[in-house]
Amino acid sequence: MPSLTAATTSNQTFRPTYIPVAVFAGGTSGVGQAMAEALARQLNGRAHIILIGRNERAAQRILASFPKPQPAPADAGGGESWVHEFLPCDAESMRSVRAVCADLRARLTHINFLVMSAAGPRGNSLVESDATPEGLDDHLAMRYFSRYLYSKELLPLVANAEARGQPAHVMTVLGAGFGMKIPQDDLGLHDARRRTITMLRGAMVSLAAIKGMIRGVAYNDGLVAHFASKHPALAFSHISPGQVQTEGAIIDLGWLLSPLTWLVVRLRDLITIPQDDCAQYMLYALLEPERGLFIRNDRGDVVSARIFPPDFEARWESEDQRAGFLDGVAMKGYGGSDAAVARLIAWTEEVLAAIPS
């Protein structure tokens, strides 16, 4: 486990001669914002950084804080110059995500770093859960479906970075390392939203909200396993940010349990780290040059990894039901099984295919 000083020192060795392209989906707040800011400071602004999110005002404030290097007329990386920009996107809408991805594919030649961290305005609510206008569970829309689409739609650009001999890393920041199992039924939580748990004289805690938070973690294990197996030359990480001092980290327990929420916040302050410190650990993991599949903890350490051979084909999509195994190899902190991941991906593709662009 690296110290904060060790992680920061390691990050400072990243001084590329080219202009790296980094996309932060969820980069207008929380850990995503802090990572974008840390990368901008690290490179003195000499990077093409794209923030994707809902809050344009916050994005413009963040972008204005980035260092502004003098653009070079002909950069050593092939003529690119630095750009800092914001793209609006409602990540609960798959139409919106597809539109942003189409725009990026039309304009960019490659992406070095794709970081996904958005959890949504109700991302930590145990009280509220609903279906989006497209029929998706709103927790899963933000925590899983949008991340799946970003990965699938932008992977050709990430692969182009690897073809240039540059870093090529897809990172999803959520809750890695807990070994959450992928269920066999009610993948979309339609049944769960019909049920509630009544606590303390009518305070309602949504079963779907609880399951949405937990399943988002499990589904992200499946996401990285699926794409890493199909793109063995790239790096994929599911990483846990841990307990971070961000506004989005506050758990909503509802008005009747607000005193308990206050207590949770006070306890959280004792065990959390500032988001800027967290960003250094996340950046430490993002900038690691290794390719493969990585499950990482909140200090950027590898909990488990699978390095696929260059000619690997996704043979592991079998009927193996053993949770925590990938193509017959045990993975600590990984909750998928080959059969469960194959079922999850098939269901995901079917659901997304039903949503028109």
Side-chain angles (χ1 to χ4, degrees):
M1 177 183 296
S3 65
L4 179 60
T5 299
T8 303
T9 300
S10 176
N11 295 341
Q12 290 172 349
T13 64
F14 183 64
R15 297 288 182 181
T17 57
Y18 54 88
I19 302 292
V21 180
V23 176
F24 294 89
T28 59
S29 64
V31 175
Q33 170 191 341
M35 289 182 69
E37 291 171 336
L39 184 64
R41 291 192 301 267
Q42 164 65 25
L43 299 178
N44 193 31
R46 190 175 171 275
H48 187 166
I49 297 178
I50 301 170
L51 305 183
I52 301 175
R54 292 173 170 173
N55 194 332
E56 182 172 3
R57 178 176 297 181
Q60 296 305 331
R61 173 180 52 80
I62 296 164
L63 295 176
S65 73
F66 289 176
K68 301 298 188 290
Q70 294 297 316
D75 182 79
E80 302 98 335
S81 61
W82 65 268
V83 181
H84 305 152
E85 59 178 310
F86 166 69
L87 292 179
C89 180
D90 177 4
E92 286 190 2
S93 166
M94 300 308 107
R95 294 179 181 88
S96 183
V97 173
R98 284 185 176 125
V100 166
C101 290
D103 175 68
L104 291 175
R105 291 198 310 272
R107 295 191 293 113
L108 301 181
T109 60
H110 65 288
I111 293 174
N112 297 100
F113 306 113
L114 173 59
V115 179
M116 301 167 289
S117 60
R122 297 207 299 258
N124 289 318
S125 174
L126 299 181
V127 179
E128 299 178 86
S129 179
D130 203 351
T132 70
E134 295 171 337
L136 305 178
D137 176 85
D138 54 6
H139 285 268
L140 293 181
M142 298 292 291
R143 291 169 170 259
Y144 173 64
F145 281 105
S146 67
R147 300 179 187 215
Y148 183 93
L149 262 186
Y150 279 126
S151 301
K152 180 181 178 181
E153 299 282 330
L154 298 180
L155 268 174
L157 296 179
V158 180
N160 286 348
E162 190 277 332
R164 290 173 168 229
Q166 299 174 4
H169 198 154
V170 176
M171 173 177 284
T172 179
V173 183
L174 193 54
F178 291 98
M180 301 290 189
K181 294 182 180 180
I182 299 172
Q184 297 189 28
D185 56 4
D186 195 25
L187 292 174
L189 297 174
H190 301 294
D191 293 338
R193 279 197 303 277
R194 301 189 186 102
R195 303 168 60 191
T196 57
I197 301 173
T198 303
M199 299 176 63
L200 297 180
R201 297 183 181 179
M204 305 306 291
V205 178
S206 168
L207 179 62
I210 297 172
K211 285 190 172 183
M213 295 176 68
I214 295 173
R215 289 194 181 182
V217 173
Y219 293 3
N220 271 257
D221 275 0
L223 182 157
V224 293
H226 169 69
F227 287 117
S229 69
K230 292 185 176 299
H231 300 271
L234 309 181
F236 294 83
S237 288
H238 181 197
I239 190 168
S240 171
Q243 297 299 314
V244 189
Q245 294 171 16
T246 66
E247 181 179 350
I250 298 175
I251 296 176
D252 176 15
L253 299 177
W255 67 269
L256 192 58
L257 298 181
S258 57
L260 182 57
T261 301
W262 180 89
L263 177 60
V264 169
V265 171
R266 299 285 76 77
L267 292 174
R268 185 202 63 172
D269 290 342
L270 298 175
I271 61 174
T272 56
I273 64 172
Q275 68 178 31
D276 288 344
D277 292 353
C278 174
Q280 290 298 327
Y281 289 117
M282 301 297 101
L283 208 59
Y284 168 79
L286 184 68
L287 299 178
E288 184 176 285
E290 296 297 325
R291 61 172 178 82
L293 165 65
F294 301 95
I295 305 297
R296 298 177 182 271
N297 65 19
D298 58 354
R299 294 300 185 267
D301 287 322
V302 176
V303 176
S304 61
R306 178 70 192 279
I307 310 301
F308 297 100
D311 59 347
F312 183 81
E313 296 181 1
R315 300 179 303 272
W316 60 270
E317 294 183 352
S318 68
E319 293 303 313
D320 191 339
Q321 300 281 355
R322 293 178 297 170
F325 282 78
L326 176 58
D327 191 31
V329 177
M331 296 275 291
K332 182 180 178 181
Y334 169 75
S337 71
D338 292 357
V341 171
R343 185 168 54 248
L344 173 70
I345 300 305
W347 168 77
T348 302
E349 288 289 345
E350 180 181 351
V351 170
L352 292 175
I355 300 174
S357 300

